[in-house]
Amino acid sequence: MFDAITLGSFFAGIFSSVIGSYLFLVSQSRTGSFLRNIALNLAKVPIAAAFSDRVNAEKDITERIQSTNKLKILSVRGAAYIDPAHPGSLVTNRVQFKDAKVLVCNPYGRPGLRRAKEVQGSADKSWNVTQFPKDIEHMFGKLEGENGVQVRYFCSSTAFRVVILDSAAYLSGFPSNRIGFEVPVLKFHSGSDFYNMLEKYFDEVWEQSLNGADFSDVKLTFYNSFESYSDALDDAAI
């Protein structure tokens, strides 16, 4: 069971994500209507399961990855999915997916820079924030084309994580004061309204995301403006 503070923090992260993503996307596409629906319906949607943290949720996800045809992941770094020791690793898992798409954060956009600062505040003191973009680009390089997996960089809110499989969708928050593994995860059965809304949202973000070539252009422009990644984080506008 979740205590009131933990559950409140989780829902605060989800709703802040919805609002942030809505503001970012509403002027660009019709995606805003889906985000608004998510915000309005979260409280009344049937929840298939609730996990106390991502460690427990990953066990459930891993079991289903072995047999799913559809796999859609939106995650800031997604490091677990290239870790050979992870049971659900997309590198060591030889399954050929029919529809496999992974969205990782564009670390050079404002949402990505803000998340880097949040991670820096929660991470071990020995961790250097310049590792943040390196981790994400490493993830992209390891997964691109692996077992039919397509990978792109998303540029919208980093406040939540989504995993969509044939049978279920999983939603967890990224509260600013916590590392992602420490937050609760909600599970929704396929066919439910909320499952469909999450998948529709993912598809909209995918269409507006950056492929490898586009990302290289963004990165080049970034380093034409800042001498280093750390310099950009010190920018008052971030």
Side-chain angles (χ1 to χ4, degrees), residues 23-222:
L23 292 174
F24 178 84
L25 293 169
V26 71
S27 63
Q28 303 178 47
S29 75
R30 62 184 182 278
T31 304
S33 63
F34 299 117
L35 293 168
R36 182 165 54 249
N37 286 338
I38 290 174
L40 293 175
N41 288 293
L42 180 60
K44 60 184 180 182
V45 71
I47 297 173
F51 302 92
S52 60
D53 55 44
R54 269 179 50 192
V55 173
N56 289 307
E58 286 294 335
K59 297 175 183 177
D60 194 67
I61 292 171
T62 296
E63 291 179 3
R64 287 161 175 74
I65 280 182
Q66 308 303 321
S67 59
T68 191
N69 288 312
K70 174 171 58 183
L71 175 67
K72 298 181 179 181
I73 299 172
L74 185 153
S75 182
V76 173
R77 289 183 287 179
Y81 294 100
I82 63 170
D83 180 1
H86 189 280
S89 172
L90 302 183
V91 176
T92 56
N93 189 332
R94 295 288 88 184
V95 174
Q96 286 291 330
F97 303 103
K98 291 183 179 179
D99 181 16
K101 298 174 179 175
V102 178
L103 283 165
V104 292
C105 174
N106 167 21
Y108 301 111
R110 291 196 181 279
L113 289 165
R114 285 194 293 267
R115 183 57 188 167
K117 292 182 76 171
E118 292 169 357
V119 172
Q120 185 179 33
S122 303
D124 186 272
K125 297 298 182 182
S126 62
W127 184 80
N128 191 304
V129 72
T130 58
Q131 190 62 38
F132 185 76
K134 293 177 182 178
D135 287 347
I136 294 173
E137 291 181 59
H138 177 65
M139 168 74 175
F140 186 100
K142 289 288 288 185
L143 278 186
E144 188 177 27
E146 185 72 32
N147 293 339
V149 177
Q150 302 176 64
V151 192
R152 290 185 181 179
Y153 295 92
F154 70 88
C155 306
S156 55
S157 173
T158 62
F160 66 101
R161 172 182 179 267
V162 176
V163 177
I164 301 171
L165 310 176
D166 289 342
S167 59
Y170 302 80
L171 176 67
S172 58
F174 279 115
S176 60
N177 62 335
R178 296 187 184 182
I179 299 298
F181 274 100
E182 300 173 352
V183 298
V185 180
L186 299 182
K187 176 183 176 182
F188 306 93
H189 284 312
S190 62
S192 67
D193 288 343
F194 204 81
Y195 175 101
N196 293 335
M197 282 189 287
L198 285 176
E199 184 166 28
K200 192 68 174 180
Y201 172 68
F202 180 97
D203 292 343
E204 287 280 340
V205 175
W206 179 266
E207 290 303 316
Q208 299 181 45
S209 60
L210 304 172
N211 60 28
D214 292 336
F215 175 76
S216 295
D217 291 340
V218 168
K219 182 179 178 180
L220 179 62
T221 300
F222 178 88

